[in-house]
Amino acid sequence: MAQAKKVVLYMVIVFVLYTIINSPARAADLVQVGFEGISDAAKSVGEFMTELIN
């Protein structure tokens, strides 16, 4: 089972590197979308906590 996890991890790493090398602009867009999603989620949690306190 541990061997399978290593193989999958290596495949993901190779895919990410291939995507970055093959299309760096698209990879940058995907990273930006990911960080925007994380930022929006953090803002929503902050607003929720603020409303709980008030």
Side-chain angles (χ1 to χ4, degrees):
M1 189 65 170
Q3 188 69 14
K5 288 182 182 180
K6 285 183 182 180
V7 170
V8 170
L9 178 64
Y10 290 140
M11 287 173 50
V12 169
I13 291 171
V14 168
F15 175 74
V16 168
L17 290 175
Y18 171 77
T19 302
I20 291 170
I21 292 168
N22 193 30
S23 178
R26 177 75 175 136
D29 289 341
L30 292 175
V31 170
Q32 182 178 3
V33 167
F35 280 123
E36 286 175 358
I38 292 169
S39 175
D40 291 343
K43 286 178 189 176
S44 297
V45 169
E47 290 173 6
F48 175 74
M49 293 297 181
T50 301
E51 290 298 320
L52 281 179
I53 293 172
N54 294 334

